[in-house]
Amino acid sequence: NDLMDRRSIRRQREEAALRLAIQVFEDESNARAWLARPIPSLGAARPNDLLRTEAGYELVIATLNKIQYGIPA
């Protein structure tokens, strides 16, 4: 079922983004807070909302990687 597949893909994106955010912020609570709040460098979008699409997911991951490596996001 296509709806089930889309939900599965989104869940996988959410889990991967959360794992990376925990690694970046070294704290699950801070990671979840970052994913839930509007981020100026993401056009004030909430990362969790962007995870609905592959392009949004890639943007969130790229932003987290920039933060992790000290590159202005």
Side-chain angles (χ1 to χ4, degrees):
N1 171 327
D2 190 47
L3 180 59
M4 296 287 280
D5 290 342
R6 285 190 309 228
R7 285 183 180 161
S8 176
I9 291 168
R10 176 149 185 207
R11 190 172 23 244
Q12 290 172 359
R13 289 181 191 141
E14 289 170 347
E15 291 170 0
L18 178 59
R19 279 193 306 273
L20 180 56
I22 291 170
Q23 188 176 4
V24 169
F25 296 109
E26 300 178 346
D27 178 84
E28 185 172 346
S29 178
N30 289 339
R32 288 184 184 279
W34 186 86
L35 290 166
R37 73 173 183 258
I39 304 299
S41 64
L42 296 175
R46 287 188 278 282
N48 280 334
D49 294 339
L50 293 174
L51 298 176
R52 292 183 182 136
T53 67
E54 183 65 26
Y57 167 75
E58 290 175 7
L59 184 58
V60 169
I61 296 301
T63 301
L64 284 167
N65 282 322
K66 288 178 181 179
I67 293 168
Q68 184 173 29
Y69 295 106
I71 300 167

